[in-house]
Amino acid sequence: MNPLKKLFKQTFVYGLATVLPRMLSFILVPIYTEVMAPGLYGEVSVIFAWFAIFNVVLAYGMETAFFRFYNKAENKKTVVSTSLISILGTTVLFMLIGLLFQTNLANMLGISVDYIRYVLFILVLDALVVVPFAWLRANEKPMKYAIIKIANVAINLGLNVFFLLILPGILKNNPDTFLQALYKPNFEISYIFISNLIASGITLLLMFKLYVKIKYVFDIQLWKNMMKYAAPVLVAGIAFSINEVFDRVLLEKLLPENVASSKVGMYSACYKISLFMTLFATAFRMGIEPFFFSHSNSENPQKTYAQITNYFVILGSIILLTVVVFADVLKVLIVRDSDYWEAMPIVPIIVLASFFLGIYHNLSVWYKVTDRTKFGGYISMIGAILTIVINYVFIEHFEYMASAVATLVAYGTMMGLSLYFGRMYYPIPYNFRKIVFYLGLSIIFSFTSFYLFNRSLIIGSILLVVFLGLIYKLENDNLRKIFLKK
């Protein structure tokens, strides 16, 4: 099978595993913004920001290391067992320390003590499925991966809907029903975490077979080599988390106390509109990461990598322009409460930033297949430093607009640095003329539609049709070769 055709097929399935669940989770945003004021939603957003950071810490790059060593190992079972023992040991240690010092941890993170246990147990359950999910991807089992991922979010979504909407509605009309025992007023945040906890627990049960069937052997030398490979990935992961979510924490800490949570809530809600680009980039990355490793020793892999990036830019450019043109339509569907719409001007900036991040992931193939993962750490650290500095200096004056611009600058810089060093260590024949043309035109059309013509749907739609027409005219023959070639 044409390797690009196979890639796009796997990416489609992984896309279902990522996009479909998160599309379902879109429903949670209007629910949260309906039942909670911006200030309360801001508090939830800050807690989820810490979730993202700690998830990376507890995985400590083991997923990427697993791919690398599993693909080249003669005894793959040893890689699996060593990885499982490593994750299991560190996760149990984290849980014990967290429970012993939960009050101190809550105070340090600025999280209410009422929620810290939920946070700890959810983090533990999510960490324990890192290697099993990586095993599914490495063994090219995208359908099983997709089904379990979708089940996780469907359960989470269903419980959120039940606790936040259905249960209060039932008790309003029938206050004496037995369901009264499940309901507590002003308990919305706890219900959110209870839903998450149950979904994570069921996911671990579905993935637990790998823990049971594997013969446990711990290869200390293999583990040291994996940790050496994973360490820069961990640094990069923490830096990515800082770039992605730490602005909520900084907004909460640096803005005046009386408006901080509300501003975080507005920013977080409107940020969700950019999720379409994030979903596309994530789905694409889920497909290409195993592909990069498995094809690194094939004949002229650089040519294939270049083609992949070209088509990523084309598809991403379409998504960028489409989301920006229809931003006002999407806000009504996703963020229904107009109290949150004040932050809408961040949308084009965040969508473009997410696009830059997706391009960066495509460009980063060079340091992964050449085992120079330390460069990923260096580049991500530079991005994290830019994020923190720009936020710290400008939040006081520009509030969440400073956070949006910081995200764009960080991801744009990372993209540029990866391209620069990649050309030195692992030259790939990218079609820069084509990439710059599509990327530049989509940016110009997007910002013209949104800012210059004040989000005019008519002007934006015309620009989108023109852009799609150009792509069809220029790329029709190439796309036919990929998808129709036997």
Side-chain angles (χ1 to χ4, degrees), residues 151-170:
N152 172 279
V153 180
I155 293 166
N156 194 352
L157 171 63
L159 290 171
N160 270 276
V161 171
F162 174 75
F163 284 127
L164 299 178
L165 294 181
I166 296 175
L167 183 60
I170 292 174

Side-chain angles (χ1 to χ4, degrees), residues 61-228:
M62 185 57 71
E63 182 182 35
T64 303
F66 179 88
F67 284 132
R68 185 58 173 167
F69 286 84
Y70 187 85
N71 276 291
K72 68 179 185 179
E74 292 184 7
N75 190 343
K76 298 183 185 299
K77 291 182 179 179
T78 302
V79 177
V80 177
S81 64
T82 300
S83 303
L84 286 175
I85 292 170
S86 180
I87 285 286
L88 189 60
T90 53
T91 303
V92 170
L93 180 63
F94 168 79
M95 182 176 65
L96 293 174
I97 294 173
L99 290 175
L100 284 172
F101 301 100
Q102 57 185 290
T103 303
N104 305 76
L105 184 62
N107 292 333
M108 183 181 73
L109 302 180
I111 297 175
S112 171
V113 178
D114 296 337
Y115 312 131
I116 194 65
R117 282 200 175 190
Y118 295 130
V119 172
L120 289 172
F121 284 118
I122 292 168
L123 287 171
V124 165
L125 292 172
D126 289 346
L128 292 176
V129 296
V130 168
V131 173
F133 273 127
W135 182 85
L136 288 178
R137 290 174 60 197
N139 285 276
E140 297 188 352
K141 297 179 182 292
M143 286 305 299
K144 185 174 181 180
Y145 179 96
I147 290 169
I148 295 175
K149 283 284 187 179
I150 292 170
N152 172 279
V153 180
I155 293 166
N156 194 352
L157 171 63
L159 290 171
N160 270 276
V161 171
F162 174 75
F163 284 127
L164 299 178
L165 294 181
I166 296 175
L167 183 60
I170 292 174
L171 294 177
K172 185 178 180 180
N173 298 320
N174 302 283
D176 297 327
T177 179
F178 72 96
L179 292 174
Q180 179 67 44
L182 296 176
Y183 180 73
K184 289 185 180 180
N186 303 317
F187 205 62
E188 290 86 358
I189 295 180
S190 292
Y191 282 139
I192 291 170
F193 295 135
I194 289 170
S195 302
N196 202 320
L197 181 62
I198 294 172
S200 295
I202 293 174
T203 301
L204 178 59
L205 288 175
L206 293 173
M207 300 293 289
F208 203 69
K209 184 179 179 180
L210 187 63
Y211 280 96
V212 175
K213 74 175 186 178
I214 196 71
K215 182 180 179 181
Y216 285 94
V217 176
F218 189 74
D219 187 328
I220 185 67
Q221 187 57 50
L222 171 64
W223 181 77
K224 288 179 179 178
N225 292 336
M226 293 182 75
M227 292 304 295
K228 183 179 179 181

Side-chain angles (χ1 to χ4, degrees), residues 359-429:
I359 296 173
Y360 167 79
H361 281 305
N362 279 268
L363 298 176
S364 69
V365 58
W366 69 268
Y367 68 71
K368 291 181 178 178
V369 300
T370 61
D371 291 344
R372 290 186 171 93
T373 52
K374 62 181 181 180
F375 279 92
Y378 298 152
I379 293 170
S380 300
M381 285 175 64
I382 292 171
I385 291 169
L386 286 171
T387 296
I388 293 171
V389 170
I390 295 173
N391 273 287
Y392 189 80
V393 173
F394 294 105
I395 276 179
E396 182 182 355
H397 306 287
F398 301 102
E399 297 180 344
Y400 44 67
M401 283 301 292
S403 299
V405 172
T407 305
L408 178 63
V409 172
Y411 289 155
T413 301
M414 290 165 59
M415 178 181 68
L417 288 173
S418 185
L419 176 62
Y420 174 77
F421 287 113
R423 296 180 72 178
M424 291 174 57
Y425 293 100
Y426 191 79
I428 295 175

